[in-house]
Amino acid sequence: MAVAAEVRVEQVAREDLVMFVNACFSCTGQREFYGDARGQSVSIEFLHQYILGNYRRLYRRTLAAGINHFNQAQIILNLLAIGSPVDVQERREEGALISAALRRLPPQRAFRVLESLRSRRINNRRARAIAREYLSSRADLAFDAVKYRAKLRAAVVHGHLKLEGELGPFLFHGWKKRVYTQPLLETFRKAHFAQEALYELPYTVAEGLAQKHGVPRDVFLQRIEPRLTQAERLRLQESAARDGAEVPAVDLSRAPLTKLCLYVLALKDEVRLERRDELHTALERASARVLARAPATLGRVAAVLDNSYSSSGSIQKRRRPLGVALASHYLLGASAREYRAFWTSPVDDPLRVVARGQSDLATPLLAALEWGPDLVVIVSDGYDNDPPHAVAELTRVFRERLDPGRRTALVHVNPVFDADEYAPRSLGEAVATVGVRDAEDVPTVLGFARFAEGTASLSELERYLAARVASWLDREPRKGEPTREEEES
């Protein structure tokens, strides 16, 4: 009786942690096609508080599991809010993970975390030390003072931190009060009076000042082009694809895979056809860069890719599920020995795919299984509705009658968080479901799939997270060295 109860407790703990990690891969608190932002936020916040209260050590180690930035920021704030662990080793590991995670976040997210310390009234000694350490690790704090002025000021005031040189007067006494010897601070001051100084500032800062000066949009974009980051160029390209505006060109060969797919999907069909070779080459190179960072050698792989209408996403995550499907197509094709794709609405050319029709996952899945792959990866939001629940029944029969020895692995990669289920929506018990934010997460979540499938124990999950922590902390960038997120920008 006692043994059975202990086994059940371990099973519940493993299921809780798998559910949480999956949620942290896929949920961003934004509106989805089938769910609003409020429901997303309430569900993910409940999960954070539940796992933190019951499994604190594994909660902090989730930071190293490859989860998305939104949930990394939530974990950092929640850990700082409750103070340090009593045990010295636990306290040391938790502090190292928080510091490393904050440094790895994109700067705008990291400064938002520091700003949130004030709004949540988190001001213990550890929180102040983390904020001080983060600011000391920044390579160019003058640049941050210009680009993230309000957030940096909030962090300094709340944490009672000291700034060297002219940064203090710049943030707290106003840029009009004096002439600065620091070049960027002086350029920012001049830009309020002289248009020429605009074009030496970061794009996001210069954009608002250009409107103040009444600079025409096309003139501004032409002259600010040398200052644009890769991420800014790609965002401008996406908006231009929708609006038909002229914007500076972007080097597609350097763009991240999922963002590049979203850009491609924003283009009109005739433009995709005209630029097909260029776009195809850029996607292949982006896939190769992902695999260089996270190698994955696969055998015979079939991908069932959902391009039903719900893959068009929401107004906040426009075409993201479809973008993840297209990116996964290129990534799996690059990592597999043999590869075939099966779309819910068949397409002649994946680059010209569009979101349309019902979610008939069973038909392409049958075709994929008939091909005899070693691995079937289903990329879908999990709303199998034509007919409903067909995949769950199909995979159950396949496992029980045709493949009881599990020669073929079945993995469902879901980029959409279901607030009602507190997890990405599953396709039945016979298919392991893992959450993703971007297709770049696929190599990581394929390794995590065995935990979602239920074939691995809680102790194996704990060892997996411990190994991720050790590897993650060993690869932490040094001061001034860009993180992967900053390199992609």
Side-chain angles (χ1 to χ4, degrees), residues 21-76:
V21 173
N22 270 336
C24 286
F25 269 108
S26 58
C27 182
T28 58
Q30 296 172 306
R31 181 176 178 82
E32 301 284 4
F33 186 88
Y34 288 107
D36 60 20
R38 174 64 178 165
Q40 297 269 316
S41 299
V42 170
S43 292
I44 194 65
E45 179 58 25
F46 168 78
L47 275 179
H48 275 277
Q49 295 303 324
Y50 173 73
I51 299 299
L52 173 59
N54 291 280
Y55 314 100
R56 177 168 178 165
R57 182 176 60 179
L58 296 176
Y59 180 74
R60 67 168 176 263
R61 287 182 173 180
T62 305
L63 284 169
I67 61 175
N68 65 44
H69 296 146
F70 170 81
N71 286 292
Q72 285 186 33
Q74 293 302 109
I75 291 175
I76 292 170

Short mmCIF file of all heavy atoms in Angstrom, two decimals, residues 21-76:
data_model
loop_
_atom_site.label_atom_id
_atom_site.label_comp_id
_atom_site.label_asym_id
_atom_site.label_seq_id
_atom_site.Cartn_x
_atom_site.Cartn_y
_atom_site.Cartn_z
N VAL A 21 7.00 22.46 -17.77
CA VAL A 21 8.05 22.73 -18.77
C VAL A 21 7.43 22.93 -20.15
O VAL A 21 7.81 23.85 -20.90
CB VAL A 21 9.09 21.59 -18.80
CG1 VAL A 21 10.07 21.78 -19.95
CG2 VAL A 21 9.84 21.53 -17.47
N ASN A 22 6.46 22.11 -20.51
CA ASN A 22 5.77 22.27 -21.79
C ASN A 22 5.09 23.64 -21.89
O ASN A 22 5.13 24.30 -22.93
CB ASN A 22 4.74 21.16 -21.99
CG ASN A 22 5.32 19.94 -22.67
OD1 ASN A 22 6.31 20.04 -23.38
ND2 ASN A 22 4.71 18.80 -22.47
N ALA A 23 4.44 24.04 -20.80
CA ALA A 23 3.78 25.34 -20.78
C ALA A 23 4.80 26.46 -20.94
O ALA A 23 4.54 27.46 -21.63
CB ALA A 23 3.00 25.52 -19.48
N CYS A 24 5.97 26.31 -20.32
CA CYS A 24 7.00 27.35 -20.39
C CYS A 24 7.65 27.44 -21.77
O CYS A 24 8.24 28.46 -22.11
CB CYS A 24 8.07 27.11 -19.33
SG CYS A 24 7.52 27.50 -17.66
N PHE A 25 7.56 26.39 -22.55
CA PHE A 25 8.04 26.45 -23.93
C PHE A 25 7.05 27.20 -24.81
O PHE A 25 7.44 27.97 -25.70
CB PHE A 25 8.25 25.05 -24.50
CG PHE A 25 9.63 24.50 -24.29
CD1 PHE A 25 9.87 23.49 -23.37
CD2 PHE A 25 10.70 24.99 -25.02
CE1 PHE A 25 11.14 22.98 -23.19
CE2 PHE A 25 11.98 24.50 -24.85
CZ PHE A 25 12.21 23.49 -23.93
N SER A 26 5.75 27.02 -24.59
CA SER A 26 4.76 27.49 -25.57
C SER A 26 4.01 28.76 -25.16
O SER A 26 3.60 29.54 -26.02
CB SER A 26 3.74 26.38 -25.86
OG SER A 26 3.10 25.97 -24.67
N CYS A 27 3.80 28.99 -23.87
CA CYS A 27 2.94 30.10 -23.45
C CYS A 27 3.71 31.41 -23.37
O CYS A 27 4.82 31.48 -22.82
CB CYS A 27 2.33 29.80 -22.08
SG CYS A 27 1.21 31.11 -21.52
N THR A 28 3.12 32.47 -23.90
CA THR A 28 3.72 33.81 -23.82
C THR A 28 2.74 34.82 -23.23
O THR A 28 3.02 36.02 -23.23
CB THR A 28 4.15 34.30 -25.22
OG1 THR A 28 3.01 34.31 -26.09
CG2 THR A 28 5.22 33.39 -25.80
N GLY A 29 1.58 34.36 -22.75
CA GLY A 29 0.60 35.27 -22.18
C GLY A 29 -0.12 36.12 -23.20
O GLY A 29 -0.79 37.09 -22.85
N GLN A 30 0.00 35.76 -24.48
CA GLN A 30 -0.64 36.52 -25.56
C GLN A 30 -1.85 35.77 -26.11
O GLN A 30 -2.00 34.58 -25.91
CB GLN A 30 0.37 36.77 -26.69
CG GLN A 30 1.54 37.63 -26.28
CD GLN A 30 2.59 37.70 -27.37
OE1 GLN A 30 3.08 36.67 -27.84
NE2 GLN A 30 2.95 38.91 -27.77
N ARG A 31 -2.69 36.50 -26.82
CA ARG A 31 -3.88 35.91 -27.40
C ARG A 31 -3.51 34.85 -28.43
O ARG A 31 -2.56 35.01 -29.20
CB ARG A 31 -4.73 37.00 -28.08
CG ARG A 31 -6.01 36.46 -28.70
CD ARG A 31 -6.89 37.57 -29.28
NE ARG A 31 -8.07 36.99 -29.91
CZ ARG A 31 -9.16 36.63 -29.27
NH1 ARG A 31 -9.22 36.80 -27.95
NH2 ARG A 31 -10.19 36.10 -29.90
N GLU A 32 -4.26 33.75 -28.44
CA GLU A 32 -4.12 32.70 -29.44
C GLU A 32 -5.39 32.66 -30.30
O GLU A 32 -6.37 33.36 -30.01
CB GLU A 32 -3.89 31.34 -28.78
CG GLU A 32 -2.64 31.25 -27.90
CD GLU A 32 -1.35 31.16 -28.69
OE1 GLU A 32 -1.41 31.24 -29.93
OE2 GLU A 32 -0.28 31.02 -28.06
N PHE A 33 -5.41 31.82 -31.31
CA PHE A 33 -6.56 31.74 -32.20
C PHE A 33 -7.83 31.34 -31.42
O PHE A 33 -8.91 31.89 -31.64
CB PHE A 33 -6.29 30.72 -33.31
CG PHE A 33 -7.37 30.65 -34.36
CD1 PHE A 33 -7.32 31.49 -35.46
CD2 PHE A 33 -8.41 29.76 -34.26
CE1 PHE A 33 -8.30 31.43 -36.43
CE2 PHE A 33 -9.41 29.69 -35.22
CZ PHE A 33 -9.35 30.53 -36.32
N TYR A 34 -7.68 30.38 -30.49
CA TYR A 34 -8.84 29.88 -29.75
C TYR A 34 -8.93 30.42 -28.32
O TYR A 34 -9.82 30.03 -27.58
CB TYR A 34 -8.79 28.35 -29.68
CG TYR A 34 -9.10 27.65 -30.99
CD1 TYR A 34 -8.09 27.04 -31.72
CD2 TYR A 34 -10.40 27.59 -31.48
CE1 TYR A 34 -8.36 26.38 -32.91
CE2 TYR A 34 -10.68 26.94 -32.66
CZ TYR A 34 -9.66 26.33 -33.37
OH TYR A 34 -9.94 25.68 -34.55
N GLY A 35 -8.02 31.25 -27.89
CA GLY A 35 -8.03 31.71 -26.50
C GLY A 35 -7.55 33.14 -26.36
O GLY A 35 -6.67 33.59 -27.11
N ASP A 36 -8.09 33.86 -25.35
CA ASP A 36 -7.69 35.26 -25.16
C ASP A 36 -6.48 35.38 -24.25
O ASP A 36 -6.08 34.42 -23.59
CB ASP A 36 -8.87 36.09 -24.62
CG ASP A 36 -9.38 35.59 -23.27
OD1 ASP A 36 -8.64 34.88 -22.57
OD2 ASP A 36 -10.53 35.92 -22.92
N ALA A 37 -5.91 36.57 -24.20
CA ALA A 37 -4.70 36.81 -23.43
C ALA A 37 -4.94 36.68 -21.93
O ALA A 37 -4.07 36.22 -21.19
CB ALA A 37 -4.13 38.19 -23.76
N ARG A 38 -6.13 37.07 -21.48
CA ARG A 38 -6.44 37.00 -20.05
C ARG A 38 -6.39 35.55 -19.55
O ARG A 38 -5.78 35.26 -18.52
CB ARG A 38 -7.82 37.61 -19.79
CG ARG A 38 -8.33 37.46 -18.36
CD ARG A 38 -7.48 38.22 -17.39
NE ARG A 38 -8.00 38.12 -16.03
CZ ARG A 38 -7.31 38.44 -14.95
NH1 ARG A 38 -6.07 38.88 -15.06
NH2 ARG A 38 -7.85 38.33 -13.75
N GLY A 39 -7.01 34.66 -20.28
CA GLY A 39 -6.99 33.25 -19.88
C GLY A 39 -5.58 32.69 -19.88
O GLY A 39 -5.21 31.91 -18.98
N GLN A 40 -4.78 33.06 -20.87
CA GLN A 40 -3.39 32.61 -20.92
C GLN A 40 -2.62 33.07 -19.68
O GLN A 40 -1.90 32.29 -19.05
CB GLN A 40 -2.72 33.19 -22.17
CG GLN A 40 -3.30 32.73 -23.49
CD GLN A 40 -2.62 31.49 -24.01
OE1 GLN A 40 -1.40 31.39 -23.99
NE2 GLN A 40 -3.40 30.54 -24.48
N SER A 41 -2.77 34.35 -19.33
CA SER A 41 -2.02 34.92 -18.20
C SER A 41 -2.41 34.26 -16.88
O SER A 41 -1.56 33.95 -16.05
CB SER A 41 -2.25 36.43 -18.13
OG SER A 41 -1.79 37.06 -19.30
N VAL A 42 -3.71 34.06 -16.68
CA VAL A 42 -4.19 33.46 -15.42
C VAL A 42 -3.68 32.02 -15.29
O VAL A 42 -3.19 31.61 -14.22
CB VAL A 42 -5.73 33.49 -15.36
CG1 VAL A 42 -6.24 32.66 -14.19
CG2 VAL A 42 -6.22 34.93 -15.23
N SER A 43 -3.75 31.26 -16.36
CA SER A 43 -3.33 29.85 -16.31
C SER A 43 -1.84 29.71 -16.05
O SER A 43 -1.42 28.91 -15.21
CB SER A 43 -3.70 29.15 -17.63
OG SER A 43 -5.09 29.03 -17.77
N ILE A 44 -1.04 30.49 -16.76
CA ILE A 44 0.42 30.33 -16.61
C ILE A 44 0.88 30.85 -15.25
O ILE A 44 1.79 30.27 -14.64
CB ILE A 44 1.18 31.02 -17.77
CG1 ILE A 44 2.65 30.54 -17.78
CG2 ILE A 44 1.12 32.53 -17.66
CD1 ILE A 44 2.82 29.08 -18.10
N GLU A 45 0.22 31.88 -14.73
CA GLU A 45 0.59 32.38 -13.40
C GLU A 45 0.25 31.34 -12.32
O GLU A 45 1.03 31.15 -11.38
CB GLU A 45 -0.14 33.70 -13.12
CG GLU A 45 0.16 34.29 -11.74
CD GLU A 45 1.64 34.57 -11.49
OE1 GLU A 45 2.39 34.76 -12.47
OE2 GLU A 45 2.04 34.56 -10.31
N PHE A 46 -0.90 30.67 -12.46
CA PHE A 46 -1.24 29.60 -11.52
C PHE A 46 -0.18 28.50 -11.55
O PHE A 46 0.26 28.01 -10.50
CB PHE A 46 -2.61 29.01 -11.85
CG PHE A 46 -2.90 27.73 -11.10
CD1 PHE A 46 -3.28 27.74 -9.78
CD2 PHE A 46 -2.74 26.50 -11.73
CE1 PHE A 46 -3.53 26.57 -9.08
CE2 PHE A 46 -2.97 25.31 -11.05
CZ PHE A 46 -3.38 25.35 -9.72
N LEU A 47 0.23 28.09 -12.75
CA LEU A 47 1.24 27.04 -12.87
C LEU A 47 2.55 27.44 -12.19
O LEU A 47 3.18 26.64 -11.49
CB LEU A 47 1.50 26.73 -14.35
CG LEU A 47 0.57 25.73 -15.03
CD1 LEU A 47 0.95 25.57 -16.49
CD2 LEU A 47 0.61 24.37 -14.33
N HIS A 48 2.97 28.69 -12.42
CA HIS A 48 4.21 29.16 -11.80
C HIS A 48 4.12 29.07 -10.28
O HIS A 48 5.06 28.57 -9.62
CB HIS A 48 4.49 30.60 -12.23
CG HIS A 48 5.22 30.72 -13.53
ND1 HIS A 48 6.59 30.61 -13.62
CD2 HIS A 48 4.77 30.91 -14.80
CE1 HIS A 48 6.95 30.76 -14.89
NE2 HIS A 48 5.87 30.94 -15.63
N GLN A 49 3.03 29.55 -9.70
CA GLN A 49 2.92 29.56 -8.25
C GLN A 49 2.81 28.13 -7.69
O GLN A 49 3.36 27.83 -6.63
CB GLN A 49 1.69 30.38 -7.83
CG GLN A 49 1.80 31.86 -8.16
CD GLN A 49 3.03 32.51 -7.54
OE1 GLN A 49 3.43 32.17 -6.43
NE2 GLN A 49 3.64 33.44 -8.26
N TYR A 50 2.13 27.25 -8.41
CA TYR A 50 1.97 25.87 -7.96
C TYR A 50 3.31 25.13 -7.96
O TYR A 50 3.66 24.47 -6.96
CB TYR A 50 0.96 25.15 -8.86
CG TYR A 50 0.84 23.67 -8.60
CD1 TYR A 50 0.20 23.18 -7.46
CD2 TYR A 50 1.39 22.74 -9.49
CE1 TYR A 50 0.11 21.83 -7.22
CE2 TYR A 50 1.30 21.38 -9.25
CZ TYR A 50 0.65 20.93 -8.11
OH TYR A 50 0.57 19.58 -7.87
N ILE A 51 4.06 25.24 -9.05
CA ILE A 51 5.34 24.52 -9.13
C ILE A 51 6.36 25.14 -8.18
O ILE A 51 7.12 24.42 -7.52
CB ILE A 51 5.87 24.55 -10.59
CG1 ILE A 51 4.88 23.85 -11.53
CG2 ILE A 51 7.23 23.86 -10.67
CD1 ILE A 51 4.63 22.40 -11.22
N LEU A 52 6.37 26.47 -8.07
CA LEU A 52 7.30 27.12 -7.13
C LEU A 52 7.02 26.67 -5.70
O LEU A 52 7.95 26.41 -4.93
CB LEU A 52 7.15 28.64 -7.25
CG LEU A 52 7.91 29.50 -6.23
CD1 LEU A 52 9.41 29.23 -6.31
CD2 LEU A 52 7.62 30.97 -6.44
N GLY A 53 5.75 26.57 -5.34
CA GLY A 53 5.41 26.19 -3.97
C GLY A 53 5.69 24.74 -3.64
O GLY A 53 5.95 24.41 -2.47
N ASN A 54 5.71 23.86 -4.63
CA ASN A 54 5.86 22.43 -4.37
C ASN A 54 7.20 21.84 -4.81
O ASN A 54 7.63 20.83 -4.24
CB ASN A 54 4.73 21.66 -5.07
CG ASN A 54 3.38 21.91 -4.44
OD1 ASN A 54 3.04 21.32 -3.41
ND2 ASN A 54 2.59 22.80 -5.03
N TYR A 55 7.84 22.44 -5.80
CA TYR A 55 9.07 21.86 -6.35
C TYR A 55 10.08 22.99 -6.65
O TYR A 55 10.46 23.20 -7.79
CB TYR A 55 8.79 21.09 -7.64
CG TYR A 55 7.59 20.18 -7.62
CD1 TYR A 55 6.38 20.56 -8.18
CD2 TYR A 55 7.67 18.92 -7.03
CE1 TYR A 55 5.29 19.73 -8.17
CE2 TYR A 55 6.57 18.07 -7.02
CZ TYR A 55 5.38 18.48 -7.58
OH TYR A 55 4.29 17.65 -7.57
N ARG A 56 10.49 23.70 -5.63
CA ARG A 56 11.29 24.91 -5.85
C ARG A 56 12.59 24.62 -6.59
O ARG A 56 12.99 25.37 -7.48
CB ARG A 56 11.58 25.60 -4.51
CG ARG A 56 12.47 26.83 -4.68
CD ARG A 56 12.52 27.67 -3.44
NE ARG A 56 13.41 28.81 -3.61
CZ ARG A 56 13.44 29.86 -2.81
NH1 ARG A 56 12.61 29.93 -1.78
NH2 ARG A 56 14.29 30.84 -3.02
N ARG A 57 13.29 23.56 -6.23
CA ARG A 57 14.56 23.27 -6.87
C ARG A 57 14.38 23.02 -8.37
O ARG A 57 15.12 23.56 -9.19
CB ARG A 57 15.23 22.05 -6.22
CG ARG A 57 16.59 21.73 -6.84
CD ARG A 57 17.27 20.59 -6.13
NE ARG A 57 16.47 19.37 -6.18
CZ ARG A 57 16.85 18.22 -5.64
NH1 ARG A 57 17.99 18.14 -4.96
NH2 ARG A 57 16.09 17.14 -5.74
N LEU A 58 13.39 22.22 -8.73
CA LEU A 58 13.15 21.94 -10.14
C LEU A 58 12.57 23.16 -10.85
O LEU A 58 12.77 23.34 -12.05
CB LEU A 58 12.22 20.74 -10.27
CG LEU A 58 12.81 19.43 -9.73
CD1 LEU A 58 11.79 18.31 -9.81
CD2 LEU A 58 14.07 19.04 -10.49
N TYR A 59 11.86 24.00 -10.10
CA TYR A 59 11.32 25.24 -10.67
C TYR A 59 12.45 26.13 -11.17
O TYR A 59 12.42 26.61 -12.31
CB TYR A 59 10.49 25.96 -9.61
CG TYR A 59 9.88 27.26 -10.07
CD1 TYR A 59 8.78 27.29 -10.92
CD2 TYR A 59 10.39 28.48 -9.64
CE1 TYR A 59 8.20 28.48 -11.34
CE2 TYR A 59 9.82 29.69 -10.04
CZ TYR A 59 8.73 29.67 -10.89
OH TYR A 59 8.17 30.86 -11.30
N ARG A 60 13.46 26.33 -10.34
CA ARG A 60 14.57 27.20 -10.77
C ARG A 60 15.39 26.54 -11.88
O ARG A 60 15.89 27.22 -12.77
CB ARG A 60 15.45 27.57 -9.58
CG ARG A 60 16.22 26.42 -8.96
CD ARG A 60 17.28 26.92 -7.97
NE ARG A 60 17.97 25.84 -7.31
CZ ARG A 60 17.66 25.36 -6.11
NH1 ARG A 60 16.65 25.90 -5.43
NH2 ARG A 60 18.34 24.36 -5.58
N ARG A 61 15.52 25.22 -11.83
CA ARG A 61 16.31 24.53 -12.86
C ARG A 61 15.63 24.56 -14.23
O ARG A 61 16.31 24.36 -15.24
CB ARG A 61 16.58 23.09 -12.42
CG ARG A 61 17.60 23.00 -11.29
CD ARG A 61 17.91 21.57 -10.88
NE ARG A 61 19.00 21.53 -9.92
CZ ARG A 61 19.49 20.42 -9.38
NH1 ARG A 61 18.97 19.23 -9.72
NH2 ARG A 61 20.48 20.48 -8.51
N THR A 62 14.35 24.82 -14.24
CA THR A 62 13.64 24.97 -15.52
C THR A 62 14.22 26.13 -16.33
O THR A 62 14.10 26.16 -17.56
CB THR A 62 12.14 25.18 -15.27
OG1 THR A 62 11.64 24.10 -14.47
CG2 THR A 62 11.35 25.22 -16.57
N LEU A 63 14.86 27.09 -15.67
CA LEU A 63 15.51 28.20 -16.38
C LEU A 63 16.50 27.69 -17.42
O LEU A 63 16.70 28.34 -18.46
CB LEU A 63 16.24 29.12 -15.39
CG LEU A 63 15.38 30.08 -14.57
CD1 LEU A 63 16.23 30.71 -13.48
CD2 LEU A 63 14.77 31.15 -15.46
N ALA A 64 17.13 26.55 -17.16
CA ALA A 64 18.16 26.02 -18.05
C ALA A 64 17.61 25.04 -19.07
O ALA A 64 18.37 24.47 -19.85
CB ALA A 64 19.25 25.33 -17.23
N ALA A 65 16.28 24.84 -19.09
CA ALA A 65 15.70 23.81 -19.97
C ALA A 65 15.46 24.31 -21.39
O ALA A 65 14.98 23.55 -22.23
CB ALA A 65 14.39 23.31 -19.36
N GLY A 66 15.73 25.58 -21.67
CA GLY A 66 15.52 26.12 -23.01
C GLY A 66 14.17 26.77 -23.19
O GLY A 66 13.73 26.97 -24.32
N ILE A 67 13.48 27.12 -22.09
CA ILE A 67 12.14 27.69 -22.17
C ILE A 67 12.19 29.11 -22.75
O ILE A 67 13.27 29.71 -22.86
CB ILE A 67 11.47 27.71 -20.78
CG1 ILE A 67 12.28 28.58 -19.81
CG2 ILE A 67 11.33 26.30 -20.25
CD1 ILE A 67 11.64 28.75 -18.44
N ASN A 68 11.01 29.65 -23.10
CA ASN A 68 10.99 30.96 -23.76
C ASN A 68 11.28 32.10 -22.78
O ASN A 68 11.24 31.94 -21.55
CB ASN A 68 9.67 31.18 -24.51
CG ASN A 68 8.46 31.25 -23.59
OD1 ASN A 68 8.47 31.89 -22.55
ND2 ASN A 68 7.38 30.59 -23.99
N HIS A 69 11.55 33.28 -23.34
CA HIS A 69 11.97 34.43 -22.53
C HIS A 69 10.88 34.90 -21.58
O HIS A 69 11.17 35.35 -20.46
CB HIS A 69 12.39 35.58 -23.45
CG HIS A 69 13.59 35.27 -24.28
ND1 HIS A 69 13.76 35.75 -25.55
CD2 HIS A 69 14.67 34.49 -24.03
CE1 HIS A 69 14.90 35.30 -26.04
NE2 HIS A 69 15.46 34.54 -25.14
N PHE A 70 9.64 34.84 -22.01
CA PHE A 70 8.53 35.29 -21.15
C PHE A 70 8.54 34.53 -19.84
O PHE A 70 8.43 35.12 -18.75
CB PHE A 70 7.20 35.08 -21.88
CG PHE A 70 5.99 35.28 -21.02
CD1 PHE A 70 5.51 36.55 -20.76
CD2 PHE A 70 5.31 34.19 -20.48
CE1 PHE A 70 4.38 36.74 -19.94
CE2 PHE A 70 4.19 34.36 -19.68
CZ PHE A 70 3.72 35.64 -19.42
N ASN A 71 8.67 33.21 -19.89
CA ASN A 71 8.64 32.41 -18.67
C ASN A 71 9.94 32.46 -17.90
O ASN A 71 9.94 32.32 -16.67
CB ASN A 71 8.25 30.97 -19.02
CG ASN A 71 6.77 30.85 -19.34
OD1 ASN A 71 5.92 31.02 -18.48
ND2 ASN A 71 6.46 30.61 -20.61
N GLN A 72 11.06 32.66 -18.56
CA GLN A 72 12.31 32.90 -17.83
C GLN A 72 12.17 34.14 -16.96
O GLN A 72 12.57 34.14 -15.79
CB GLN A 72 13.47 33.07 -18.81
CG GLN A 72 13.95 31.79 -19.46
CD GLN A 72 15.18 32.01 -20.30
OE1 GLN A 72 16.02 32.85 -20.00
NE2 GLN A 72 15.31 31.26 -21.38
N ALA A 73 11.60 35.20 -17.53
CA ALA A 73 11.41 36.44 -16.76
C ALA A 73 10.49 36.21 -15.57
O ALA A 73 10.74 36.73 -14.46
CB ALA A 73 10.85 37.53 -17.67
N GLN A 74 9.40 35.43 -15.76
CA GLN A 74 8.48 35.16 -14.67
C GLN A 74 9.16 34.37 -13.55
O GLN A 74 8.95 34.64 -12.36
CB GLN A 74 7.27 34.38 -15.19
CG GLN A 74 6.38 35.16 -16.13
CD GLN A 74 5.84 36.42 -15.49
OE1 GLN A 74 6.25 37.52 -15.86
NE2 GLN A 74 4.96 36.27 -14.53
N ILE A 75 9.98 33.39 -13.91
CA ILE A 75 10.68 32.59 -12.89
C ILE A 75 11.65 33.47 -12.11
O ILE A 75 11.74 33.37 -10.87
CB ILE A 75 11.41 31.41 -13.55
CG1 ILE A 75 10.39 30.40 -14.09
CG2 ILE A 75 12.35 30.72 -12.56
CD1 ILE A 75 11.01 29.25 -14.87
N ILE A 76 12.40 34.33 -12.79
CA ILE A 76 13.33 35.22 -12.11
C ILE A 76 12.60 36.09 -11.09
O ILE A 76 13.01 36.20 -9.91
CB ILE A 76 14.07 36.11 -13.13
CG1 ILE A 76 15.01 35.26 -13.99
CG2 ILE A 76 14.86 37.22 -12.42
CD1 ILE A 76 15.60 36.01 -15.16
#
